[in-house]
Structures are given as structure tokens and as C-alpha cells.
Amino acid sequence: MKYVTLGNSGLLVSELAFGTMTFGSGNLPTIYKVGQDQAQELVDRALDAGVNFFDTADAYADGQSEEMLGRLIGKRRQDVVIATKAGNRMGPGLVRSGLSRKHLLAACEESLARLNTDYIDLYIVHKTDPFTPLEETLEALNDLVRQGKVRYIGYSNWPAWLAAKAVQMQRERRWATFVNGQMYYSLIGRDLEHEAIPFMQDGGVGLTVWGPLAGGFLSGKYTRDNLNDPDKRLSGFDFLPHDKEWGFTVLDTVRGIAERHGATPAQVSLAWLLAQPHVDSVLIGASRLSQLEDNLKAAELTLSREEFSQLGELTRPEPLYPNWFEAKTRDAVVESALKVR
């Protein structure tokens, strides 16, 4: 297992992180389906493989995921990095969601209790909140850091302009600064490259990837005939938008590369992400030990330069304006003088 520092912080995390969204039971049976004994097996195996980074959220199975992870980590708490998230609805009350000061402070206390810990390593705001002033959210996060209840802070699913505005405000006011963005990124979902990744690289914000297999689609277990199989995840939680037919075309190439390496499509898809210089850590989830074992092997797979480029060109997103305008008007004379490639 390889390790990196998260963003511009000194926090050391494994390049593969273990996501516990599957832990618990509830109204999404294709997602929440891992009981305590099975979860113990998965966490123990992840630790044995060198994973030290575990991710959860208060909203996963109504808090069951946090409770289970807290019990499973137990005495090993000081040896691991735990990330959890807040912002989604946690009850019927009007104020039991969002990124207001009231909700964030309450949500943090509740997560601490469920995780059975007195601090959270990485506290992530799970989504945007258009009804709360940004300043209020950032000041509340800063207070949690100053109180010692949170060590580092991050965001998830924010547009680049809002994250950039937040980091600028944090720096100006000398508040705790975002060190991490947890964002969706996969071979068939590369929208992040338009604006978010350039900002994160410039701002020193580390990227943790969620959904690296596009909800399981890139695992290779789906075909055109079984997409609607009620026992499979996509039948009940087809959350990520993408052209399925194009996705199967991509999978054909992924399968060919996998066969040459004696690997699986999932391993190739994960290895491509791990080779990206702008990726700090990739979240892998599992509901069975065999899935976890398969994903862990991605850390041992190195794609050739040709394979990496082939997948990159096949799935490269069309540039958006003004990016395409900038590319078309580059100054070749200056770039040649500066030896810019």
C-alpha cells in the first residue's frame, strides 16, 4: 500500500480508502446490506492490507454505518484516519439538515457519539446548502477545529467556484482551510476535469474519489441484459448519469486491457485513477470480502503508458467554454521559447 499526504496537510492516508456506505440496513437494500460480522471481516482485511483511511457519513443507513465503524475500529482508533460527513437530512425536523451553524454543531456531536470517539480526523460537508450563508458554514467548521472535535475539514460535491470562494474566505480570516475535496470521478465520469481539478491543484486541496467504479458499472459485472436485475445495485440505485451504451463500449476496452494483465475490469478502472497525479486517494466499498480483495489488488497493478493513454483518450470529455477557446488560442511562439509541452 502506498501513502500520501492529504492535500496541503501533513495527514498521511493510504491511496486506497475504505468506504462504509454499505454498512447497516434500511430503505435502500441494494446499498445498505452489510451486517456487523461481515463488516468486521471487511474492516480487518482492509487494515491487514495497509488501509488506514476509512470513510462514512451520518446519513448512511441513518447513522448505522458510523455506529458500526466505531465499534469495529475500537482500540485501533489512534492508528486510523476516519472521515465522516454532514449536511443531508437526519430527521423530520425542518432544521435537521443543511450546513447551518445549528445543524453542523449538532451533527458533529451526534457523529462523535455514534463513532464512539472524541475527535473526527476529517469532517466533510456532504453537499452545498443554498439557504445558509457560506460564512456561517465556514465559521462553524473553524470552531469545531478550534474546539478539538475535528482535526481537518473538507467538502464533497461542491462546484469549483464555491470551493474557491470558500478557501479564499478561510485564508483571509485565518480560519481552518479545506484540505480535501471528496468528489465523483471515474473513467466514464470525468466532468471534474473541466474546473474542479485545476482549482484543487492550484489551491492545494487534495482529491479523494468517490464512485470510482461508477456505482459498480465498471466492475464488469453488468451486461446489456442484466442492467435491471433486481438483485444488483443499479436496479435500485442508478444514481450516476451516463450513457450506458457508450459505457459498454468503454468496458470492452477495459476488459481487453484486464485480460492482458490477468486482472479484472474493476482493477484496471481503479488503477487508471490511482495513476492520475491529481488523485490523492480512491474510495473503495464492498459488501463481500471477494469484492474487497479484488479492489485491493488495484494497488498492485501498473498500466503501461500506452494503456493509460488509450483509456484517457477514449473517455476524454469534450472541453467546455471557455476551456476550448483557451486551447485554440494558445501562443505557440511563447510556448516554444519556454519549452512548454
Side-chain angles (χ1 to χ4, degrees):
M1 185 65 62
K2 297 177 182 177
Y3 301 87
V4 299
T5 53
L6 195 63
N8 58 5
S9 77
L11 184 62
L12 285 167
V13 298
S14 49
E15 66 173 355
L16 289 177
F18 185 67
T20 63
M21 187 178 180
T22 58
F23 288 8
S25 59
N27 61 348
L28 291 173
T30 59
I31 301 295
Y32 307 138
K33 54 185 175 182
V34 175
Q36 189 73 26
D37 291 343
Q38 194 173 11
Q40 180 77 68
E41 186 178 38
L42 293 170
V43 168
D44 288 346
R45 179 65 189 100
L47 287 166
D48 288 344
V51 172
N52 78 336
F53 191 10
F54 292 83
D55 179 83
T56 184
D58 58 2
Y60 294 167
D62 294 323
Q64 293 176 63
S65 173
E66 286 184 324
E67 291 175 351
M68 293 170 67
L69 180 62
R71 287 195 295 268
L72 295 168
I73 294 299
K75 295 180 180 180
R76 298 172 289 194
R77 176 67 186 93
Q78 294 295 327
D79 299 324
V80 302
V81 173
I82 292 179
T84 193
K85 300 180 279 292
N88 281 302
R89 178 156 294 283
M90 289 301 292
L94 190 62
V95 295
R96 297 218 48 205
S97 71
L99 304 180
S100 68
R101 180 179 185 86
K102 174 179 174 60
H103 182 67
L104 282 178
L105 297 185
C108 183
E109 294 291 347
E110 292 168 0
S111 286
L112 288 168
R114 285 190 290 265
L115 287 163
N116 192 29
T117 184
D118 56 4
Y119 69 96
I120 294 166
D121 296 291
L122 177 61
Y123 200 46
I124 300 170
V125 285
H126 210 159
K127 61 178 186 176
T128 62
D129 179 356
F131 308 110
T132 298
L134 180 61
E135 182 178 18
E136 179 179 338
T137 297
L138 301 181
E139 186 174 22
L141 291 172
N142 181 67
D143 287 346
L144 289 171
V145 174
R146 297 293 176 256
Q147 293 166 9
K149 295 175 181 177
V150 169
R151 300 292 192 253
Y152 301 90
I153 56 173
Y155 62 86
S156 185
N157 309 308
W158 280 27
W161 71 265
L162 183 61
K165 182 179 179 180
V167 168
Q168 182 64 29
M169 186 180 293
Q170 289 167 328
R171 289 174 177 169
E172 288 176 349
R173 305 190 183 196
R174 297 187 177 182
W175 287 345
T177 306
F178 286 140
V179 302
N180 174 252
Q182 187 181 121
M183 306 290 281
Y184 167 58
Y185 191 35
S186 76
L187 262 176
I188 57 174
R190 297 174 58 184
D191 295 346
L192 207 62
E193 295 175 11
H194 293 305
E195 300 291 343
I197 286 174
F199 155 68
M200 297 172 88
Q201 290 179 300
D202 182 69
V205 178
L207 170 60
T208 299
V209 175
W210 70 263
L213 298 180
F217 184 87
L218 290 170
S219 68
K221 66 183 177 182
Y222 291 100
T223 66
R224 292 170 177 83
D225 297 326
N226 70 5
L227 266 178
N228 297 318
D229 187 333
D231 294 327
K232 295 186 181 297
R233 177 174 177 172
L234 286 182
S235 66
F237 195 69
D238 192 1
F239 184 73
L240 302 174
H242 63 87
D243 182 331
K244 298 294 193 301
E245 187 56 41
W246 172 73
F248 283 120
T249 299
V250 173
L251 266 175
D252 289 340
T253 299
V254 170
R255 286 192 176 96
I257 293 173
E259 288 175 5
R260 290 199 294 272
H261 286 272
T264 64
Q267 290 164 12
V268 170
S269 300
L270 293 170
W272 184 84
L273 286 172
L274 290 172
Q276 298 290 345
H278 44 265
V279 170
D280 281 357
S281 189
V282 175
L283 283 169
I284 55 173
S287 57
R288 299 189 305 275
L289 186 59
S290 59
Q291 289 178 331
L292 178 58
E293 295 283 7
D294 185 79
N295 290 345
L296 287 171
K297 291 177 182 177
E300 305 168 7
L301 176 61
T302 301
L303 301 178
S304 69
R305 182 178 301 178
E306 291 74 19
E307 291 166 340
F308 180 79
S309 297
Q310 180 184 14
L311 291 172
E313 290 301 320
L314 176 64
T315 62
R316 189 179 307 282
E318 287 294 324
L320 300 176
Y321 175 82
N323 300 16
W324 61 257
F325 183 88
E326 180 182 359
K328 286 178 177 291
T329 57
R330 292 168 60 176
D331 192 321
V333 175
V334 173
E335 290 185 353
S336 177
L338 296 176
K339 295 182 173 57
V340 174
R341 293 183 178 180

